[in-house]
Amino acid sequence: MAAAAAAALRSRLPSRLRQLFSSEGSLGSLGASIQLDSEPPPKVKAFVDKVIQSPLQDIAIPLSGFRWEYNKGNFHHWRPLFHHFNTYFKTYLSYRNDLLLTDNFTEDDPFPKHSVIQILRVMQIILENCHNKSSFDGLEHLKLLLTSTDPEVVLATLETLSALVKIHPSKMHVRGKLIGLGSINSCLLSLAQGWGTKEEGLDLYSCVVANEKSQEDCLSLFPSDVQDSEEKSQYRLGSTLYFEVHGVMPHRSGESSSSVGPSRPIVIHIPDLNSRKEEDLLLMKQCIDLYGVPLEQRFSLLTRIRYAHAFRSPRTCGLYSRICVLSFIVLVQSNDANDELVSFFANEPEYTNELIKIVRSEESVSGIVRTLAMLALGAQLAAYSASHERARILSGSSINFSGGNRMILLNVLQKAIMSLGNSSDPSSLAFVEALLQFYLLHVISSSTSGSVIRGSGMVPTFLPLLTDSVPAHMHLVCYAVRTLQKLMDYSNAAVTLFKDLGGVEILAQRLQIEVQRVINVSASNDDAMNIVECSLPSDEYLYIQKRLIRALLKALGSATYGPANTGRLQSSLDNALSVTLSLIFGNVEKFGGDIYCSAVTVMSEILHKDPTCFPALQELGLPDAFLSSVVAGLIPSSKALICVPSGLGAICLNTKGFEAVKETAALRFLVNIFTLKKYTIAMNEAIVPLANAIEELLRHVTLLRSTGVDVIIEIINKVASLGEGSSTIHSDLSENTTVEMDIEDRGSESHPAPVLVTNSSLDATSDEQFIHLSTFHVMVLVHRAIENSETCRLFVERSGIDALLKLLLRPSIVQSSEGMAIALHSTMVFKWFNQHHSAPLARAYSSSLRNHLKKASSAFSAHAGSFLLDPRGEPDGGVSSSLFLVEFLLFLAASKDSRWINALLTEFGGDGKDVLEDIGRVHREVLWQISLLEDLKIE
């Protein structure tokens, strides 16, 4: 008992005293991080709990009707649901012989198709809308499902894998972000090879066309009875099973095993498999019994059986055409499939051209297969750009989207866009979307050589889409705008052509229309228009509409104020754009942080392009609208927080603008975002780029530097007093307040705060955690701001160091392991002070250390002769807290920098000599208490 009590007492002592008692103590064990537990949003948690609490056998019931309505997703929030799916797969699939392809696989229970399809559908939707997918597990279950003889199950599995490995445009130039599929790659290779190779007369295009024709004949009242010799040959070859079994010794009657020579491949050759009535698994069992096929070759054999047997049904054949192309889409984007791709293209060097032929075949190939072929071209291009090794492999696959192929696809896109208004086929929309995705990837992948895409004719092809007002086509308009924006970023000629064709006016008009629609719909709360004109739910329609507005803003910036444009816009267009931006600034809560940031960026570009236009903009009320949005309080969005300093800097380029910023005290927005709880999550994402932006603002706008330093010191003092006395922590949350998430797929966290990374909800953030986070954010801000020598001088002269020490010596920071991250970061801050202000730093440090040493000495004096570490008594909080503070200050002083050491010695040798005496006094008291404890241990 005494030992346990002593251990509990030691745990409450300063870490340096704990190290004296035990060799286990180490500062490194405390860790240098402050993290909040990642809690899913309540809506996500409610759905996950609903599924998990349902009986496992009825899992399809809560999953039916699931659709995405959770803003920007984080895969970590959905991991409990995916673990539950794995539990289902282990319970109902892992033992099935028909999936494992072991013996007696024809005697299993009925396959739970409906539940499996529902699970795969939900998995696909979640993976399509989430980042952090690299932590996905459960690939072994998906591999089992690829063995299914039901093509709908295989298709659903491949669609899930496609969502998992899909390379987003934002990740194309980010190395090491692709996801590998391990042993699934060999299965994908087998499925992607389809009915055979071109050398065998079974190229992809021929098989797809033959399958499509057979489906047409089935649907026709007068099917064609006459087939030419080539078509007959295709059917005969496609329905013939040809498979070589390796590593098996044949045994014939009359031969002993010793007389059999080295094993040669056994050829399984069964023509006209489409005429066989048996199921795929029964055919498989017959081959295994007859030829002794080893387990490791059974998947490949089953794949050949499934493809050949598919010719018995035109619908099944069509499904396997989709399986063939979709398998390639997954394989080419799998990070660890290099060997499989080398093998694939060795047999199919013309595969890219085959895909292009399918895309061009309007009459003979269905829209679904053409869409998949287009997606395959896009996946190939994305993989080519995302990995050097993958580019080396694909360079030998005739992948070439310049010259003739590019113009062919552009002509296909032109026809598809022109036919949008005349077609009610959903596949036509999907086909145009796949084409637009491809061209977005094409422009981004060609970013290093804009001249390659300069004369591609993309601008006149895309322009008609910008005026398309059909609600169901809005996502296509968004893709077109994003592609044009990227194109104009990389090509000056594209900017000129776009302006000559009236593209800027079209963009501005479309922006004004969409902004007004969002405001009107939000004001009237009437979604009838969306529901009537568009099949999408109203919230999803609004989401796409906001994406379009953001894309329009970015495209306008590239087209009018980018480096490629040297002229001014005509005043009428300038006026219309200013009015639209003012509407956004006046209705920020309706548009969100991403759109707000894009609007601020456009305003900043206008002012940087021509600072003399400020009076005209002021007459239109644009600068005042922006400043009012800042003063009224920003929404909790990382993008919104980051963009404000650049907007203020742009306005300050004009003297009248600077006066407006000064009169409105707009810079005081920093006080709220650093001290109000509702900004915690947004600040965690924004703190590094925000601190950089503030430093840049104070460096360029020198007249704001003095005010900026005062604001920083005020923030420090306010955070230091949070939760103490009359100062309470305000979350400032109303019922309608939500943390704004990014509209676009970030793909990877673009501005992570060092050490501090969290996606937790506001409700999960305790007051103490909020204080720790706010303190850390302040330290990052100070660290960045004082890198400028003039800002650092003002900070020191205005007693900023004293305020900083007061903040760092809060008990909640000093006495907790979470505070170690702040302490470590503070040492870097003090290192900057050392360079030019070591004397003031030593003076402030010595003064603070003196005060806390006096308190520690007084506490020891009040308990003179007492055994403070007696495990049988109650610990004295006054002594322990004083020692915590002294230890923390000594930790901050632990630097070997010569300037710091000289400054400390100078201070201690002058007015601070009593500090050394107090250190010695406290040291003796600590050693005395340790010796008493050691004596007790001996007794």
Side-chain angles (χ1 to χ4, degrees):
M1 288 293 292
L9 178 61
R10 290 173 198 165
S11 67
R12 295 194 291 268
L13 292 173
S15 60
R16 293 187 189 278
L17 292 184
R18 293 201 302 271
Q19 290 177 51
L20 292 174
F21 296 143
S22 172
S23 60
E24 297 176 0
S26 172
L27 282 174
S29 65
L30 295 176
S33 64
I34 300 176
Q35 294 185 351
L36 302 177
D37 295 331
S38 180
E39 291 291 337
K43 200 172 182 180
V44 173
K45 190 174 188 304
F47 176 78
V48 173
D49 291 344
K50 176 184 174 183
V51 176
I52 292 177
Q53 291 166 10
S54 299
L56 199 60
Q57 67 273 16
D58 299 328
I59 195 171
I61 297 174
L63 296 180
S64 61
F66 174 83
R67 64 183 181 88
W68 189 258
E69 48 187 20
Y70 305 96
N71 295 321
K72 176 64 185 174
N74 182 345
F75 182 72
H76 294 317
H77 296 159
W78 296 93
R79 292 196 69 179
L81 181 63
F82 277 70
H83 288 320
H84 189 63
F85 291 158
N86 287 341
T87 300
Y88 179 89
F89 289 146
K90 289 177 182 176
T91 305
Y92 292 98
L93 302 183
S94 60
Y95 69 91
R96 295 186 64 90
N97 293 325
D98 57 344
L99 298 181
L100 297 170
L101 298 182
T102 53
D103 298 334
N104 301 320
F105 49 73
T106 58
E107 301 174 5
D108 272 319
D109 299 329
F111 186 82
K113 177 180 177 179
H114 178 63
S115 295
V116 170
I117 291 289
Q118 285 293 337
I119 291 174
L120 293 173
R121 184 184 68 85
V122 172
M123 290 174 70
Q124 177 190 350
I125 293 173
I126 294 173
L127 290 170
E128 285 174 345
N129 289 278
C130 287
H131 62 284
N132 298 335
K133 294 183 291 187
S134 57
S135 59
F136 175 88
D137 57 0
L139 288 175
E140 67 276 10
H141 305 304
L142 298 183
K143 181 181 179 181
L144 276 181
L145 289 173
L146 291 178
T147 312
S148 172
T149 54
D150 188 324
E152 292 180 352
V153 173
V154 178
L155 262 179
T157 305
L158 289 170
E159 287 168 350
T160 303
L161 288 170
S162 178
L164 175 64
V165 301
K166 182 178 180 180
I167 302 172
H168 192 270
S170 62
K171 287 186 178 181
M172 282 179 59
H173 300 302
V174 181
R175 308 297 177 187
K177 290 292 184 179
L178 307 187
I179 296 175
L181 297 179
S183 61
I184 291 183
N185 293 323
S186 60
C187 300
L188 294 171
L189 173 62
S190 180
L191 289 169
Q193 288 172 335
W195 284 271
T197 65
K198 193 169 185 176
E199 293 180 355
E200 302 171 61
L202 293 168
D203 59 280
L204 176 66
Y205 174 77
S206 300
C207 289
V208 166
V209 170
N211 295 340
E212 296 291 331
K213 190 174 188 312
S214 64
Q215 292 186 69
E216 290 176 5
D217 286 346
C218 285
L219 297 173
S220 174
L221 292 175
F222 305 101
S224 58
D225 295 326
V226 180
Q227 290 182 333
D228 58 32
S229 58
E230 185 177 350
E231 288 180 354
K232 290 180 179 179
S233 174
Q234 291 287 341
Y235 276 93
R236 186 173 61 256
L237 288 171
S239 61
T240 297
L241 172 63
Y242 180 88
F243 186 80
E244 293 183 356
V245 183
H246 296 270
V248 177
M249 284 191 176
H251 288 273
R252 299 183 179 88
S253 58
E255 289 185 353
S256 65
S257 58
S258 58
S259 63
V260 177
S263 63
R264 291 180 297 175
I266 299 176
V267 176
I268 302 176
H269 186 272
I270 306 176
D272 300 322
L273 205 64
N274 58 324
S275 62
R276 302 283 290 269
K277 302 299 182 182
E278 300 97 320
E279 295 294 328
D280 294 343
L281 285 175
L282 186 56
L283 291 171
M284 172 83 166
K285 187 175 187 305
Q286 292 172 1
C287 291
I288 292 175
D289 293 342
L290 188 60
Y291 299 101
V293 182
L295 182 63
E296 61 273 12
Q297 298 180 43
R298 290 180 185 179
F299 181 89
S300 297
L301 173 60
L302 178 61
T303 300
R304 303 275 66 79
I305 291 174
R306 287 183 289 187
Y307 274 106
H309 205 206
F311 273 93
R312 72 190 185 278
S313 163
R315 177 183 174 276
T316 305
C317 225
L319 290 175
Y320 275 101
S321 294
R322 292 161 59 184
I323 287 172
C324 180
V325 181
L326 193 52
S327 298
F328 173 79
I329 292 174
V330 179
L331 182 67
V332 80
Q333 295 178 98
S334 175
N335 187 40
D336 52 356
N338 291 338
D339 293 342
E340 287 79 8
L341 285 172
V342 169
S343 174
F344 179 85
F345 285 113
N347 294 321
E348 294 286 353
E350 296 295 320
Y351 191 78
T352 302
N353 292 330
E354 296 288 323
L355 293 173
I356 293 176
K357 285 175 67 177
I358 293 174
V359 170
R360 294 177 61 188
S361 302
E362 300 176 50
E363 304 294 334
S364 54
V365 179
S366 67
I368 296 176
V369 178
R370 291 178 73 206
T371 300
L372 282 174
M374 199 65 242
L375 290 174
L377 290 171
Q380 200 172 346
L381 183 58
Y384 185 91
S385 303
S387 166
H388 290 306
E389 180 63 20
R390 192 59 46 87
R392 183 188 64 78
I393 296 170
L394 295 177
S395 61
S397 68
S398 73
I399 176 172
N400 182 10
F401 300 116
S402 60
N405 282 342
R406 185 182 63 228
M407 296 311 298
I408 289 171
L409 294 177
L410 206 56
N411 290 333
V412 172
L413 178 59
Q414 285 176 338
K415 292 180 181 178
I417 292 174
M418 291 174 62
S419 64
L420 272 177
N422 305 323
S423 174
S424 58
D425 183 7
S427 66
S428 63
L429 285 180
F431 181 62
V432 175
E433 182 178 353
L435 279 162
L436 293 172
Q437 286 182 12
F438 171 82
Y439 271 99
L440 178 59
L441 292 168
H442 175 50
V443 172
I444 294 175
S445 65
S446 306
S447 59
T448 55
S449 56
S451 58
V452 175
I453 56 177
R454 180 176 56 194
S456 63
M458 291 171 61
V459 174
T461 302
F462 280 57
L463 269 181
L465 264 180
L466 303 190
T467 58
D468 190 330
S469 58
V470 179
H473 298 172
M474 187 172 291
H475 64 297
L476 304 179
V477 180
C478 189
Y479 271 116
V481 174
R482 288 178 62 195
T483 305
L484 286 170
Q485 180 251 320
K486 294 293 184 184
L487 179 63
M488 290 186 288
D489 280 347
Y490 304 140
S491 171
N492 294 351
V495 175
T496 303
L497 179 59
F498 186 75
K499 292 178 64 180
D500 292 343
L501 295 176
V504 175
E505 290 78 6
I506 295 174
L507 285 177
Q509 291 169 7
R510 185 65 186 257
L511 175 65
Q512 194 171 22
I513 292 170
E514 298 300 337
V515 167
Q516 199 63 58
R517 280 178 178 172
V518 170
I519 294 173
N520 292 342
V521 170
S522 300
S524 62
N525 214 9
D526 181 12
D527 297 330
M529 181 274 293
N530 297 347
I531 296 173
V532 171
E533 297 185 22
C534 180
S535 60
L536 292 174
S538 58
D539 54 348
E540 189 171 347
Y541 177 85
L542 183 61
Y543 175 78
I544 297 174
Q545 194 172 31
K546 289 182 177 181
R547 286 185 61 196
L548 175 58
I549 291 173
R550 183 173 184 263
L552 289 166
L553 285 166
K554 296 184 74 172
L556 273 170
S558 299
T560 58
Y561 306 107
N565 181 34
T566 57
R568 283 281 312 278
L569 284 183
Q570 62 263 33
S571 58
S572 60
L573 186 57
D574 235 348
N575 294 351
L577 183 56
S578 298
V579 171
T580 305
L581 295 178
S582 297
L583 285 173
I584 294 174
F585 294 149
N587 298 272
V588 182
E589 69 285 349
K590 297 174 184 176
F591 291 98
D594 272 350
I595 293 176
Y596 180 79
C597 177
S598 297
V600 173
T601 302
V602 172
M603 181 196 71
S604 302
E605 288 172 343
I606 294 173
L607 290 167
H608 279 288
K609 195 77 175 180
D610 183 12
T612 62
C613 72
F614 181 84
L617 297 181
Q618 193 173 34
E619 288 182 11
L620 296 168
L622 179 58
D624 291 339
F626 168 66
L627 292 175
S628 296
S629 71
V630 175
V631 173
L634 298 171
I635 60 174
S637 159
S638 59
K639 295 285 185 69
L641 304 184
I642 293 168
C643 73
V644 172
S646 64
L648 295 176
I651 292 177
C652 288
L653 291 173
N654 184 277
T655 305
K656 290 184 179 180
F658 169 75
E659 293 298 329
V661 171
K662 193 172 182 181
E663 288 173 8
T664 57
L667 201 57
R668 289 187 54 78
F669 85 96
L670 293 171
V671 178
N672 286 337
I673 67 175
F674 275 90
T675 59
L676 290 181
K677 196 174 183 179
K678 74 174 183 177
Y679 293 106
T680 303
I681 296 175
M683 283 293 291
N684 241 8
E685 295 182 4
I687 183 57
V688 172
L690 175 63
N692 292 337
I694 294 169
E695 188 278 331
E696 185 177 356
L697 174 65
L698 300 183
R699 175 160 41 89
H700 289 297
V701 187
T702 55
L703 294 176
L704 270 183
R705 186 176 292 152
S706 177
T707 304
V709 170
D710 290 339
V711 168
I712 292 174
I713 293 176
E714 181 182 349
I715 292 170
I716 295 172
N717 290 327
K718 195 165 183 179
V719 173
S721 62
L722 284 175
E724 294 182 358
S726 60
S727 180
T728 57
I729 296 175
H730 298 285
S731 62
D732 196 29
L733 293 174
S734 64
E735 291 182 1
N736 296 324
T737 301
T738 56
V739 178
E740 182 70 28
M741 302 303 291
D742 293 349
I743 290 177
E744 298 295 341
D745 191 344
R746 292 176 297 180
S748 60
E749 293 70 21
S750 54
H751 296 296
V755 180
L756 298 177
V757 178
T758 177
N759 289 297
S760 64
S761 63
L762 290 175
D763 294 337
T765 309
S766 67
D767 288 348
E768 185 174 344
Q769 288 172 323
F770 167 66
I771 292 172
H772 287 160
L773 288 166
S774 297
T775 304
F776 189 88
H777 297 157
V778 169
M779 295 306 299
V780 175
L781 172 63
V782 173
H783 185 195
R784 189 68 181 92
I786 64 174
E787 289 180 4
N788 180 273
S789 58
E790 186 61 23
T791 304
C792 186
R793 181 187 64 80
L794 289 173
F795 186 86
V796 172
E797 289 179 356
R798 299 180 185 184
S799 303
I801 294 178
D802 295 315
L804 207 56
L805 285 171
K806 178 185 175 183
L807 170 63
L808 291 173
L809 293 175
R810 287 181 62 107
S812 62
I813 295 174
V814 174
Q815 299 181 20
S816 68
S817 59
E818 288 82 5
M820 187 53 63
I822 299 169
L824 291 173
H825 202 80
S826 64
T827 58
M828 295 190 291
V829 175
F830 289 134
K831 189 177 295 184
W832 277 100
F833 287 127
N834 274 338
Q835 294 184 5
H836 303 289
H837 305 280
S838 56
L841 175 61
R843 194 177 308 117
Y845 173 81
S846 177
S847 174
S848 181
L849 183 59
R850 177 188 292 109
N851 293 335
H852 291 291
L853 283 170
K854 295 291 185 188
K855 292 179 182 179
S857 297
S858 299
F860 276 121
S861 299
H863 297 82
S866 301
F867 182 18
L868 300 177
L869 299 182
D870 191 345
R872 295 162 296 188
E874 290 294 326
D876 184 82
V879 175
S880 297
S881 61
S882 298
L883 289 178
F884 270 118
L885 293 169
V886 170
E887 181 206 24
F888 193 86
L889 284 167
L890 293 174
F891 172 78
L892 294 180
S895 172
K896 297 180 180 180
D897 185 83
S898 58
R899 282 168 296 192
W900 171 239
I901 294 173
N902 292 334
L904 270 183
L905 291 175
T906 301
E907 182 64 27
F908 289 157
D911 297 336
K913 59 183 180 181
D914 59 316
V915 176
L916 292 176
E917 296 173 355
D918 289 338
I919 289 176
R921 189 175 298 112
V922 170
H923 186 228
R924 286 194 299 272
E925 291 290 346
V926 170
L927 291 177
W928 173 249
Q929 293 296 325
I930 293 174
S931 63
L932 291 176
L933 183 62
E934 292 298 326
D935 288 343
L936 179 64
K937 289 166 62 178
I938 294 174
E939 294 175 2

